[in-house]
Amino acid sequence: MSDSKLAGQFFDAAIGLLERVRDEESGSVAAAGAAIAETVAAGGRLFAFGAGHSSLAAQDVVYRAGGLALMNLLAVPGTVGVDVMPATLGSALERVDGLASAVLDSSPARAGDLLVIISLSGRNALPVEMAQNARALGLTVVGVTSVAYTEGTKSRHASGGFLRDHCDIVLDSKISIGDAELAAEGVPAPFAPASTVVTSALMQAMMAAAAEELVARGIEPPLLRSGNVDGGHEWNGRVMREYGDRVFYRH
């Protein structure tokens, strides 16, 4: 069987995007890492939020081997995955005014904490309101979004603004409007989205920058080890005991 031409084209497209964000977003990644390290050093807590498929990149940095133990998922019911029925409800909830404030008000998030908000388009009410309210509460807000959407679409938030307008630090995923990298004869719609690959890479790069900054400050990064390697459970138990009051996915 011969290799797939379109599969190779997707890998090329994804690699190209990864190279772009590596080169063009390095300053923003470093700034986000420094902000995370500052929050950890000051006793603050870390949260990540994303709706729909943007939630995948948020979940990717929560409770995982090689990740910061302090990163918690800020979940909005009905928007975290495609398990909600019908799946289209999740998209509808992203446009509901007031939902973000209700979730924040009932969450453990407080002044001095840091929240990473992931939204590819950044145009729906939920991520915009989440960023606005989080900053009003005194949180540092890092946004991971595609700036292209701010130039080629209209906001669905009452303010007319996008996620990027309400963040302390913005990381641009460079994903084009529509989130589909390929087109081919005989295929009626563009296909092969790369936003999950690129956004997850940005999140992990951010975590790496945070670990580097913590070491520079003389602080051991509170990282988790795999439970499938010898000593992993013991290591994680120590980290959880030390930082348990800042970890919310265990309660």
Side-chain angles (χ1 to χ4, degrees), residues 49 74 76 100 103-104 115 117 125-134:
F49 162 77
L74 184 65
V76 176
V103 169
L104 271 175
L115 172 61
I117 300 177
L126 185 55
V128 175
E129 183 184 302
M130 187 73 77
Q132 284 181 320
N133 289 20

Side-chain angles (χ1 to χ4, degrees), residues 29 33 36 66 68 201-214 221 223:
V29 169
I36 290 170
L68 286 175
L202 279 169
M203 294 295 289
Q204 295 298 347
M206 194 191 309
M207 298 302 121
E212 182 178 17
E213 179 65 22
L214 284 166
L223 296 167

Side-chain angles (χ1 to χ4, degrees), residues 131-215:
Q132 284 181 320
N133 289 20
R135 289 179 89 188
L137 287 172
L139 278 75
T140 298
V141 176
V142 177
V144 185
T145 188
S146 169
V147 172
Y149 277 84
T150 68
E151 299 161 351
T153 68
K154 291 184 179 179
S155 170
R156 291 186 177 129
H157 187 255
S159 69
F162 288 78
L163 169 62
R164 68 170 294 189
D165 300 320
H166 303 284
C167 298
D168 298 289
I169 302 166
V170 176
L171 279 66
D172 181 7
S173 64
K174 316 294 181 181
I175 300 294
S176 59
I177 296 173
D179 190 20
E181 294 303 317
L182 302 183
E185 186 176 348
V187 183
F191 58 102
S195 61
T196 303
V197 173
V198 177
T199 304
S200 290
L202 279 169
M203 294 295 289
Q204 295 298 347
M206 194 191 309
M207 298 302 121
E212 182 178 17
E213 179 65 22
L214 284 166
V215 170

